[in-house]
Amino acid sequence: MTGDPQPNELGEFLKARRAELNPRTVGLPDTGGRRVPGLRREEVALLAAISTDYYTRLEQGRIQPSASVLASLAHVLHLSDHQRDHLFELVGRQRARHRRPAAQKAHPQLRRLLDDLTASPGVVIGRRMDILAWNALAVALFTDFAKVPESRRNCVRILFTDPTMRTLYADWRAVARDCVSHLRREAATHPEDPQLISLVGELSMEDRDFGQWWASRRAPSRRQGVKRFHHPLVGDLVLDWDTLICGSDPDQELIVWTAQPGTPSYDGLRALASRATGRPGGPPAGRAS
């Protein structure tokens, strides 16, 4: 005998939970004529963006799901925090906080680059899109990251939970969907990361859009592009953004926003830097505590 859970435990849990749900609760029409109460297997599979065959084999205990599938099912089945924890425990993926990896710190070279960036906003992003460091102009453009508790200092969490982000970005929904795609790429690289699993579960429960976009399996996000902002102090900004991956630690990226010289957006960034520091440029880069 091994210490692994019995193959049917997960299936029994899933069947019991879907039997408790009314189709209207998950946004499906209740046409009646159901032989058994609750959701059908094919309906759960559809909402979780997986095949009916995959979900059937999952209930039968014939396959072990990935962390992303578990997060989608937790959202679809409207699991409470306790139920979600139990779901992960049943497949041996308990989110044990005492086994979390050591906190990631920004690479010194990336910090020095941030110190030299006085006319462009820049942030260092780590695993799970955690914010590891930033410069003064990033604070002026986005928010004061130092005031965000370190445990919540995450790009995706801030984007979905800070109401000001929804007015700062001219197309918040497109930006948010790109971030979800980026986070899914992180999940594919680190499928067993308990903090990532917890983040996905948290946002899936708190934000309906996040849950739907996580399950949509959209193509991976880009590492460069154009963002449009409605800034409350300097007005509309059109900024190019690009990503520099740290050679010695591929889990860290420096993201920088720039504007074409001679454009209103370039002048807007300079004005924003002046407002932030009382002079063009900015002070040394911010530090994650």
Side-chain angles (χ1 to χ4, degrees), residues 10-187:
L10 175 63
E12 291 302 319
F13 177 78
L14 293 173
K15 284 188 287 186
R17 183 55 189 156
R18 67 180 172 87
E20 296 172 353
L21 289 176
N22 186 293
R24 291 194 181 94
T25 303
V26 296
L28 295 174
D30 188 357
T31 57
R34 295 173 182 265
R35 291 181 299 175
V36 294
L39 300 181
R40 300 185 179 99
R41 282 176 173 173
E42 56 267 28
E43 291 171 334
V44 175
L46 175 66
L47 292 170
I50 56 179
S51 70
T52 301
D53 177 66
Y54 182 98
Y55 181 76
T56 299
R57 288 185 289 140
L58 186 59
E59 278 200 357
Q60 293 171 344
R62 294 162 53 195
I63 56 175
Q64 188 175 34
S66 67
S68 61
V69 168
L70 288 179
S72 294
L73 289 173
H75 172 69
V76 168
L77 296 174
H78 291 231
L79 301 186
S80 66
D81 288 344
H82 175 74
Q83 289 171 323
R84 188 171 67 248
D85 285 339
H86 183 59
L87 175 67
F88 281 91
E89 290 168 6
L90 286 177
V91 291
R93 301 179 190 273
Q94 184 178 8
R95 295 178 296 161
R97 291 176 175 82
H98 63 278
R99 290 189 288 178
R100 286 180 175 177
Q104 195 177 19
K105 301 296 182 182
H107 194 280
Q109 286 180 283
L110 297 184
R111 288 187 181 277
R112 289 197 293 270
L113 281 173
L114 278 177
D115 286 340
D116 289 339
L117 289 174
T118 58
S120 298
V123 296
V124 176
I125 304 300
R127 292 188 301 268
R128 303 173 294 274
M129 299 183 72
D130 289 341
I131 300 170
L132 306 182
W134 55 91
N135 65 6
L137 202 44
V139 171
L141 178 61
F142 296 105
T143 189
D144 189 349
F145 299 111
K147 293 182 178 180
V148 180
E150 185 176 4
S151 62
R152 302 189 62 80
R153 202 178 291 149
N154 175 275
C155 283
V156 187
R157 181 182 280 112
I158 291 173
L159 188 63
F160 277 88
T161 61
D162 185 343
T164 63
M165 296 295 108
R166 297 176 185 255
T167 55
L168 175 64
Y169 285 100
D171 191 350
W172 178 88
R173 291 180 67 84
V175 173
R177 292 202 69 173
D178 280 345
C179 279
V180 173
S181 297
H182 188 117
L183 196 64
R184 179 174 286 284
R185 185 169 60 199
E186 289 282 314

